[in-house]
Amino acid sequence: MTSCFIRPAPFSAFSFARCALALILASGHLGHAAFAAPAPIVLTGSDRRPATSLNGEWASIVDPYFSGLFSFHHEEKKNGFFMNYKAKPGDPFPTEYDFSKAPKLKVPGDWNTQRESLMYYEGPIWYEKDFIFEPKPNTHVFLHVGAANYHSWFWVNGQKVCEHEGGFTAFNCEVTQAIHSGNNFVIAAVDNTRHEDGVPGLETDWWNYGGLTREVSLIEVPESFIDQYDLHLSRNEDSGIEGWLHVVGAQPGEKAEVEIPDLHAKTTADIGADGRAALHFKVQGLDRWTPDSPKLYKVAIRVGSDSIDELMGFRTIETHGTEILLNGKPIFLRGISIHAEAPYRTGRAYSDKDAEILLGWAKELGCNFVRLAHYPHDETMLRAADRLGLLVWSENPVYWALEFDNPKVLAKAEQQLGEEINTSRNHAAIVLWSMANETPNTSPRTQFIETLATRARGLDPTRLITAALLVRAQGKIKIVDDPLGKALDVIGINEYIGWYEGHPDSADTAEWQIAYQKPVIVSEFGAGAKAGLHGGENERWTEEYQANVYRHQLPMLNKISQLSGMSPWCLMDFRSPNRPLVGIQDEFNRKGLISDQGKKKLAFSVLEKAYKDKTIGKAD
Ligand code: GCB
């Protein structure tokens, strides 16, 4: 049994509230006696289903002590904010909150950039929204949350429906029992407090944007419904499309049907007792998805009265020696790293427009590849990458030093990785699952990430596994021999010659010793520059200095025989509390090739020229 009194003093109201939460959750209270939180389910392709949007303005209460979690009037439980109690004349107790008078926050959106007082806020905030809904008979209704950073709890009409940990993956809470015809309300508590045992942990080089940062909606599905599916081009069989789907509540004898009308291809498969159907069919005249021709096909997936109209590309990805092969042909990944920072307005990116701008810049740069760092980006970004023909590196937020010897942390990382893969597995654009970024070389770390790699391969054997590794420097010799490399298909390397190490021309004499004969992607290099600041090419923070770093890096990278791609750091400046230098950084990491206000720096054209003239990397 959880106890609130085992922790030594000081024991703050804040920790009491958290502890009360643990007790309340453990004992199944919170306005719904027999609550046992079911694991939120994955709905693959949820954005392709009809939905009732709950985006827009939500009432908000900032609650740094998390006191809204429990009632001061235990017998009444009216003061738990999740009850949304409206005071009545003659009540024998005071009600100390009222969502109808509370200020609003926009959803989707981080709270930090919506209200000045919340810029640095880390803690819980309550959200409330009224909505009208008419559930159809014999359906399941899910509250779909695109992402809530970091820990979140949800109630519908006072009934707890789910909780979720992890700030960058979508989840769905079943609300069928809690929702009713007519007026309803949904309440969320979202807490962006950083934790030592979180994923990511205490320290990141990006802003800890809190809140309901991605879209929220209601998705209604029939009694028996498709929760997950996977369709991809076979590596072994020419023109074979294979995969599977899973149905919740499948009826005996029910069949799955998949059709690609433009290819006149259709298959029907039996659904097993475990709800799974294996899919396989041959297609003729398929145009494979490539960056130059990102052909997407309409795919109709049907089981009983449930159906999803997908839009998918088909391609293969594999390695051969030190090469990456797309559709069996070597390809050099001309990339750039991107944070989910909103262009022009800053804050967490979430919209189609944000994705179009960010990926549009990547295309302008001559990229065929983007590293979406350092966490799974949203569905709009992945759809845009499918559409625009940009190969994607998608990353689990295992960043820097986590508690690698803590099994609970491993479970959290596995959960987020599972959500990332199960949600995004049908995007042709994604070719690499990245397990981690710059983790220290210790054996608990290696075991931890090997476990993740095994899980990723189990969930999706069709893509390549990577991670961004650190480099050991012995003077001009740069060594990559991290044992984690054994577990990877593609070695990612982050290096900052010319910025954190030496001068731009130090790259001219650097020699690389890479212990693996596998494809290598230099997943980061770069330098900080303030847009509009000009000076000598050896004067830090100027655009000239940054361009100089790029000019010296490119010939050096060309000498790495395993080089199969690169994604310099990074496309656009992004907010980070680690970057306080006044007048230069002002709490932005300035390694972008473009400023947060959309101004291109000189290095942009250095890289653009190298990409467009194909003077970097192996010819493809
Ligand atoms: C890194 C990290 C990245 C940082 C970058 C920097 O190695 O992977 O998250 O933002 O360096 O700018 O220092």
Side-chain angles (χ1 to χ4, degrees):
M1 165 82 181
T2 317
S3 165
C4 283
F5 300 99
I6 49 172
R7 288 180 57 178
F11 193 63
S12 64
F14 188 59
S15 56
F16 178 75
R18 277 165 202 290
C19 193
L21 172 69
L23 276 173
I24 288 165
L25 292 176
S27 66
H29 280 99
L30 286 187
H32 182 47
F35 183 77
I41 78 146
V42 173
L43 283 177
T44 312
S46 56
D47 65 326
R48 303 292 302 174
R49 288 179 173 277
T52 305
S53 173
L54 294 179
N55 292 343
E57 302 215 306
W58 290 51
S60 64
I61 299 179
V62 181
D63 185 11
Y65 295 173
F66 227 161
S67 51
L69 274 178
F70 55 94
S71 172
F72 295 110
H73 310 283
H74 293 276
E75 69 292 355
E76 295 288 347
K77 290 204 172 63
K78 299 286 190 283
N79 268 350
F81 293 177
F82 46 88
M83 296 303 289
N84 195 16
Y85 185 71
K86 308 279 183 234
K88 293 186 184 65
D91 274 349
F93 52 81
T95 301
E96 310 205 46
Y97 70 98
D98 184 346
F99 280 108
S100 69
K101 300 202 169 87
K104 309 281 191 210
L105 281 171
K106 282 200 192 78
V107 174
D110 63 88
W111 62 53
N112 313 69
T113 56
Q114 295 191 50
R115 211 180 285 165
E116 214 180 324
S117 61
L118 297 179
M119 181 50 96
Y120 295 89
Y121 183 72
E122 295 191 313
I125 291 190
W126 293 84
Y127 284 79
E128 188 275 341
K129 190 167 182 73
D130 298 320
F131 62 95
I132 294 171
F133 195 72
E134 298 300 336
K136 299 189 192 85
N138 306 321
T139 60
H140 292 271
V141 184
F142 290 96
L143 178 71
H144 172 78
V145 183
N149 191 35
Y150 168 79
H151 203 150
S152 53
W153 298 262
F154 292 82
W155 294 261
V156 168
N157 299 325
Q159 189 168 319
K160 184 162 183 248
V161 289
C162 72
E163 72 174 277
H164 183 263
E165 187 168 347
F168 302 97
T169 41
F171 53 97
N172 304 282
C173 316
E174 171 129 33
V175 299
T176 316
Q177 301 305 325
I179 208 163
H180 46 240
S181 178
N183 293 324
N184 294 267
F185 64 89
V186 52
I187 293 204
V190 185
D191 182 359
N192 70 337
T193 306
R194 288 166 296 115
H195 296 278
E196 268 167 7
D197 63 354
V199 178
L202 285 181
E203 199 163 334
T204 63
D205 188 26
W206 68 83
W207 207 270
N208 182 21
Y209 291 126
L212 296 170
T213 52
R214 297 181 188 165
E215 305 204 319
V216 180
S217 61
L218 291 166
I219 297 179
E220 193 169 18
V221 296
E223 236 166 14
S224 118
F225 63 96
I226 307 156
D227 63 333
Q228 293 188 44
Y229 52 90
D230 179 314
L231 272 180
H232 55 266
L233 196 57
S234 166
R235 270 189 205 162
N236 311 318
E237 180 199 7
D238 202 28
S239 309
I241 290 182
E242 59 189 20
W244 52 268
L245 62 73
H246 184 263
V247 178
V248 175
Q251 302 302 307
E254 218 164 24
K255 294 204 183 290
E257 204 178 272
V258 179
E259 186 178 0
I260 309 179
D262 283 358
L263 293 171
H264 309 289
K266 191 169 173 174
T267 185
T268 307
D270 292 332
I271 300 170
D274 59 356
R276 252 175 108 97
L279 303 170
H280 177 257
F281 53 125
K282 282 259 187 196
V283 291
Q284 298 294 322
L286 175 81
D287 285 334
R288 290 179 179 227
W289 186 98
T290 68
D292 291 335
S293 170
K295 171 76 184 165
L296 299 177
Y297 287 95
K298 288 197 178 119
V299 180
I301 305 168
R302 283 187 287 269
V303 172
S305 58
D306 196 21
S307 66
I308 298 168
D309 286 319
E310 256 295 358
L311 207 50
M312 291 175 64
F314 297 95
R315 51 101 196 100
T316 58
I317 192 79
E318 59 204 311
T319 64
H320 180 71
T322 61
E323 286 182 320
I324 294 176
L325 308 182
L326 178 73
N327 296 320
K329 293 191 211 107
I331 184 163
F332 185 79
L333 305 186
R334 289 179 288 278
I336 191 75
S337 293
I338 304 182
H339 257 295
E341 182 88 25
Y344 299 107
R345 65 171 197 280
T346 80
R348 185 56 75 230
Y350 58 77
S351 67
D352 279 330
K353 194 168 170 213
D354 293 336
E356 290 280 343
I357 295 172
L358 291 169
L359 297 185
W361 281 333
K363 290 291 284 187
E364 226 183 292
L365 194 57
C367 293
N368 59 10
F369 167 60
V370 287
R371 175 184 180 206
L372 300 183
H374 279 301
Y375 36 75
H377 286 218
D378 69 343
E379 198 72 41
T380 59
M381 204 62 175
L382 301 173
R383 292 277 177 207
D386 280 346
R387 228 172 24 243
L388 295 171
L390 284 162
L391 296 158
V392 166
W393 157 316
S394 177
E395 192 157 312
N396 201 27
V398 174
Y399 182 88
W400 291 351
L402 299 188
E403 287 186 346
F404 290 115
D405 51 4
N406 181 343
K408 285 193 186 140
V409 176
L410 177 59
K412 292 176 193 182
E414 285 196 82
Q415 173 219 318
Q416 294 186 45
L417 180 70
E419 289 170 345
E420 174 189 7
I421 294 178
N422 288 329
T423 309
S424 328
R425 55 166 73 248
N426 292 299
H427 291 285
I430 300 179
V431 287
L432 288 151
W433 297 123
S434 170
M435 299 298 103
N437 178 73
E438 292 186 353
T439 52
N441 176 3
T442 64
S443 63
R445 181 291 315 248
T446 305
Q447 271 178 28
F448 184 105
I449 297 175
E450 280 171 359
T451 308
L452 292 181
T454 304
R455 176 142 171 83
R457 287 198 176 93
L459 287 169
D460 179 12
T462 74
R463 290 184 173 83
L464 306 175
I465 303 296
T466 192
L469 305 182
L470 290 162
V471 176
R472 279 194 305 126
Q474 283 178 1
K476 63 178 188 173
I477 317 283
K478 314 297 169 196
I479 304 165
V480 181
D481 59 359
D482 186 325
L484 180 56
K486 290 195 198 85
L488 308 177
D489 300 314
V490 173
I491 310 289
I493 296 175
N494 292 357
E495 54 91 3
Y496 280 91
I497 298 170
W499 186 251
Y500 294 125
E501 187 193 337
H503 301 283
D505 62 6
S506 310
D508 305 352
T509 50
E511 288 171 26
W512 285 86
Q513 288 180 5
I514 299 174
Y516 300 99
Q517 283 307 308
K518 297 185 178 186
V520 164
I521 294 177
V522 174
S523 36
E524 288 182 30
F525 71 83
K530 165 115 173 139
L533 184 69
H534 293 284
E537 60 176 26
N538 286 312
E539 216 178 312
R540 279 185 192 259
W541 302 113
T542 64
E543 291 193 28
E544 286 75 7
Y545 187 100
Q546 187 189 40
N548 199 21
V549 166
Y550 274 71
R551 270 196 293 271
H552 286 276
Q553 280 277 334
L554 299 176
M556 176 194 74
L557 298 184
N558 264 337
K559 289 186 221 149
I560 298 177
S561 64
Q562 300 96 321
L563 192 75
S564 279
M566 52 194 265
S567 51
W569 195 254
C570 57
L571 183 69
M572 193 189 80
D573 292 353
F574 59 95
R575 276 188 202 273
S576 166
N578 301 338
R579 312 291 173 176
L581 187 62
V582 175
I584 300 282
Q585 293 176 308
D586 301 313
E587 298 184 313
F588 279 85
N589 183 314
R590 295 285 180 207
K591 296 189 190 72
L593 295 175
I594 302 178
S595 80
D596 52 286
Q597 295 306 313
K599 209 172 158 295
K600 295 198 178 82
K601 306 178 195 174
L602 291 174
F604 185 98
S605 32
V606 176
L607 188 62
E608 181 187 6
K609 188 160 170 32
Y611 279 170
K612 292 192 173 157
D613 295 351
K614 299 205 174 170
T615 53
I616 178 77
K618 300 168 201 159
D620 52 36

